[in-house]
Amino acid sequence: IYELYRINFSDIINLIMKDENDDQLSAKRADIPPYYLIIDEINRGNIAKIFGELITLIEKDKREKINCYLPYSKKPFTLPHNLYIIGTMNTADRSIAILDTALRRRFAFIEIEPDLSVFDNPSVVLSSKVNDCVDLAKLLEALNKKITEKIDRDHRIGHAYFMNIPNLNELYYVWYYKIIPLLMDYFYNDVETLQSIIGKQFFNKDGSINFLDIKKMSGGMTEFEQEITKIYLSGH
């Protein structure tokens, strides 16, 4: 215990009164609903130009205390405490590596990983299997395991690609026009690696895409279904 020379009794009274006022203000704020501003692909833009002086105002201890002047109206502007800013970004995007440090320390970062449990929820996914044959959860799990081994975990495929697939035709479309082009971008001109992930039957000898037949064969499965199930069955 030691004497504080730079503070007097009146200062202590002011601090106590300030705490009481803050408590009353907090009680009032509890009745105010939250509002959310979502900025998709936030790392794609020029952060300095997007936020400007707001980069300072979004800090928790500066809300409703510090303002800036709007460039056109010249009116003072401050951010309310109940506005939450959510920015989304893709970890596979290389521009995330040069994300502004000032932005990093003003946001909490939460990683959203591919979620296989969504395929067990009928209110979210139309069906976990296509034609009672292709298990979408196992397919996604096998693909991401191989992608992680070949490149890294940040390039895993999200579950959203397989969430709304009601039939074989839709799976065929997603597979050939979304999944394979994405993998070809990941492993540019590396057909050997692509074949090790999804199988040799999906590519011709020259490395171009081979479109398999979706007409049923004598065994009851199509050529496409047979090859796509091999992707995850081969690992068991």
Side-chain angles (χ1 to χ4, degrees):
I1 299 176
Y2 54 92
E3 185 177 358
L4 299 176
Y5 295 100
R6 297 182 181 181
I7 190 170
N8 54 45
F9 190 74
S10 62
D11 293 326
I12 296 173
I13 294 295
N14 289 334
L15 287 173
I16 294 173
M17 293 299 294
K18 181 180 180 298
D19 288 340
E20 289 181 354
N21 292 334
D22 287 346
D23 290 340
Q24 293 174 0
L25 183 60
S26 297
K28 291 180 180 179
R29 285 178 173 178
D31 298 328
I32 302 176
Y35 289 86
Y36 300 92
L37 173 63
I38 300 176
I39 306 174
D40 192 27
E41 300 284 1
I42 190 172
N43 55 311
R44 285 285 188 174
N46 186 323
I47 301 301
K49 288 186 177 181
I50 292 172
F51 283 95
E53 292 182 67
L54 286 180
I55 199 68
T56 298
L57 301 188
I58 62 177
E59 294 182 29
K60 185 178 180 180
D61 60 340
K62 295 180 176 61
R63 298 285 185 103
E64 300 178 348
K65 295 179 181 179
I66 297 179
N67 58 44
C68 66
Y69 286 90
L70 298 175
Y72 296 107
S73 66
K74 306 301 180 183
K75 293 181 179 180
F77 176 80
T78 187
L79 286 179
H81 73 278
N82 62 326
L83 175 64
Y84 295 87
I85 302 175
I86 300 174
T88 68
M89 61 182 69
N90 189 344
T91 54
D93 191 341
R94 293 174 181 83
S95 63
I96 191 176
I98 55 173
L99 196 62
D100 196 293
T101 304
L103 186 71
R104 284 186 179 275
R105 66 186 180 86
R106 286 173 170 85
F107 281 80
F109 283 74
I110 302 173
E111 183 181 26
I112 308 298
E113 299 186 62
D115 186 5
L116 298 179
S117 66
V118 299
F119 296 99
D120 297 324
N121 189 343
S123 64
V124 177
V125 178
L126 293 174
S127 176
S128 61
K129 288 187 176 182
V130 177
N131 278 7
D132 291 325
C133 177
V134 181
D135 190 311
L136 297 177
K138 290 181 179 179
L139 175 61
L140 179 62
E141 183 181 25
L143 286 173
N144 283 336
K145 183 179 179 181
K146 293 178 180 180
I147 290 171
T148 302
E149 291 172 353
K150 298 296 182 181
I151 181 167
D152 58 48
R153 65 191 301 276
D154 287 334
H155 286 76
R156 289 174 296 174
I157 297 172
H159 53 264
Y161 281 99
F162 297 109
M163 283 179 60
N164 297 305
I165 300 181
N167 52 53
L168 186 61
N169 288 332
E170 186 65 25
L171 176 61
Y172 192 86
Y173 171 81
V174 170
W175 182 255
Y176 277 110
Y177 299 105
K178 292 186 178 181
I179 301 299
I180 289 184
L182 180 64
L183 293 175
M184 293 180 73
D185 182 56
Y186 286 171
F187 305 98
Y188 188 70
N189 279 341
D190 189 355
V191 179
E192 186 178 342
T193 300
L194 288 168
Q195 289 177 335
S196 69
I197 294 175
I198 63 175
K200 295 181 179 181
Q201 297 301 319
F202 289 105
F203 296 95
N204 296 318
K205 292 180 179 180
D206 60 355
S208 58
I209 298 174
N210 180 31
F211 290 85
L212 301 178
D213 202 340
I214 56 173
K215 292 181 180 179
K216 286 189 179 295
M217 299 185 296
S218 57
M221 292 177 63
T222 67
E223 184 184 11
F224 171 70
E225 288 173 309
Q226 191 175 61
E227 293 302 322
I228 208 168
T229 53
K230 285 182 181 179
I231 295 171
Y232 59 86
L233 291 177
S234 60
H236 294 280

